[in-house]
Amino acid sequence: MRGTLLANRRGIQRFRQLATTAVKSSKIKLLLFCCIAFTLVVVATRASAFMGWTNHSDSVDQFLPPGKGYAILMNTWKRYDLLKQSISHYASCSGLESIHIVWSEPNPPSASLSTFLKHVIESKTRGLKKVELSFDINKEDSLNNRFKEIPGLKTDAVFSIDDDVIFPCSSVEFAFKVWQSAPNAMVGFVPRAHWVAKTLGKTDYYTYGGWWSVWWTGTYSMVLSKAAFFHKKYLRMYTYEMPKSIKEFVTKNRNCEDIAMSFLVANATGAPPIWVKGKIFEIGSTGISSLGGHGERRTRCVNRFAAEFGRMPLVPTTAKAVDSRNTWFW
């Protein structure tokens, strides 16, 4: 009898152990299932970010009245395939009203190139709106050309962009909305920094900080004009009010026109720029930033411009604009 009870007790204990193990195993499997399901949802909702720059624009932007959108100001130089690719992409952005290509080549744009770009714009807009295309022809090859005043420009907002840089239209539209909240500021995707390297007497000497400086410190004082919004009034100010010595320096050294524009805006506003988080797609080959001594040349520009302005107008900041609709953690 005692043996039978002992055997039953052992059987019950064994059953409990098996049941406990089964419950724990089920919990682990359920947890793994939830993790896999969550991962699939994230991948599905972010598929466009992995696959490229698929455009998705807010429907409200389709009804912007004339003059309330933005103009694209695109700098290019003998990279026609990149130009075609960039224009084809940005033509479908809903807030776009006009495209102005800064042309500084010795020969004018060919009829075939002009016809192709106009056809691309028409096909991308599908007749829903008219996007104007113009080539701003320059006789002199100078980086200052990208900031020449555009007569008759209908929009206040200008999106300055290089021909080898692409952002999804959703990112561009978000940056445009950020700019609308602060139309006197430069609002862009590519931040850079400066800091005091040393002080001799009453004079500060500065160092230019690239992306890794921004990443490490979380601080920036410029957004580069390779991808930035600003008010059209700064084109007029750059053309007519920028010190002649600075423009001559830019032309001679073929560098730092973007830093000069940052100085101009900061000097006028006394405020920092606004960095917008966005996914950048570089479709061209490496540029001048990859050349040896690039940082030293940029540092020279910062110090030269500070001396010309008689002070350091750049204002550091740690703020960043993030579109929370497309971000899980922010």
Side-chain angles (χ1 to χ4, degrees):
M1 185 69 178
R2 183 177 299 177
T4 302
L5 291 175
L6 184 61
N8 290 339
R9 187 176 297 174
R10 288 177 178 174
I12 292 173
Q13 290 177 346
R14 180 61 177 170
F15 175 78
R16 287 177 177 175
Q17 290 176 351
L18 291 174
T20 302
T21 301
V23 170
K24 290 182 178 179
S25 177
S26 298
K27 288 182 178 179
I28 293 174
K29 290 180 179 178
L30 179 61
L31 180 61
L32 289 174
F33 175 79
C34 292
C35 291
I36 293 172
F38 178 76
T39 302
L40 291 175
V41 170
V42 171
V43 171
T45 56
R46 297 294 183 268
S48 61
F50 293 112
M51 297 174 67
W53 51 81
T54 304
N55 290 328
H56 299 284
S57 297
D58 298 334
S59 59
V60 67
D61 292 330
Q62 302 289 346
F63 303 99
L64 287 175
K68 298 301 181 181
Y70 56 87
I72 277 184
L73 184 61
M74 184 173 293
N75 196 49
T76 187
W77 177 262
K78 294 185 177 181
R79 300 194 292 190
Y80 308 134
D81 290 339
L82 297 184
L83 179 63
K84 292 176 181 178
Q85 190 173 354
S86 293
I87 297 298
S88 177
H89 167 72
Y90 289 113
S92 61
C93 295
S94 60
L96 179 64
E97 291 196 24
S98 61
I99 300 174
H100 304 265
I101 300 173
V102 180
W103 194 269
S104 301
E105 297 181 20
N107 298 317
S110 65
S112 60
L113 176 62
S114 180
T115 300
F116 177 88
L117 294 180
K118 289 179 180 178
H119 174 73
V120 165
I121 293 173
E122 291 176 359
S123 64
K124 290 292 183 177
T125 56
R126 301 175 184 175
L128 298 177
K129 63 175 181 177
K130 182 179 180 181
V131 174
E132 298 179 3
L133 172 69
S134 67
F135 289 88
D136 299 336
I137 308 298
N138 297 279
K139 295 181 179 179
E140 179 188 15
D141 176 19
S142 170
L143 289 176
N144 292 306
N145 293 339
R146 73 180 305 165
F147 298 135
K148 278 188 176 180
E149 184 179 25
I150 302 175
L153 185 60
K154 297 177 182 178
T155 62
D156 287 337
V158 175
F159 182 47
S160 174
I161 188 79
D162 284 354
D163 61 1
D164 61 348
V165 178
I166 284 182
F167 291 88
C169 283
S170 57
S171 296
V172 177
E173 302 298 333
F174 175 68
F176 176 50
K177 291 177 181 178
V178 174
W179 176 86
Q180 287 178 307
S181 70
N184 289 321
M186 281 190 75
V187 176
F189 295 99
V190 187
R192 292 295 184 264
H194 81 285
W195 63 85
V196 177
K198 60 181 179 180
T199 300
L200 296 178
K202 296 182 178 181
T203 303
D204 291 330
Y205 291 90
Y206 304 95
T207 295
Y208 173 85
W211 161 245
W212 290 111
S213 298
V214 177
W215 179 84
W216 182 256
T217 64
T219 302
Y220 65 99
S221 55
M222 296 171 272
V223 289
L224 301 187
S225 56
K226 69 183 294 181
F229 277 95
F230 53 77
H231 198 283
K232 67 178 181 181
K233 65 183 178 182
Y234 295 124
L235 296 177
R236 174 183 54 80
M237 293 175 65
Y238 192 101
T239 302
Y240 300 108
E241 299 178 23
M242 178 67 77
K244 182 179 179 181
S245 57
I246 289 182
K247 291 197 287 186
E248 290 176 346
F249 181 90
V250 167
T251 298
K252 179 180 179 180
N253 292 275
R254 298 191 61 80
N255 204 333
C256 299
E257 82 288 353
D258 48 359
I259 297 178
M261 176 57 87
S262 291
F263 267 72
L264 178 77
V265 176
N267 188 63
T269 64
I274 301 175
W275 170 22
V276 175
K277 181 180 179 180
K279 177 64 176 177
I280 183 172
F281 295 89
E282 301 271 5
I283 61 174
S285 58
T286 55
I288 60 174
S289 61
S290 63
L291 300 177
H294 178 70
E296 290 77 6
R297 286 189 289 272
R298 304 281 277 184
T299 290
R300 181 186 174 201
C301 292
V302 170
N303 286 286
R304 175 66 178 267
F305 297 166
E308 293 285 352
F309 275 84
R311 67 187 188 94
M312 170 49 73
L314 299 177
V315 181
T317 183
T318 57
K320 179 170 67 172
V322 179
D323 189 347
S324 60
R325 298 170 301 176
N326 301 321
T327 305
W328 284 95
F329 305 103
W330 59 284

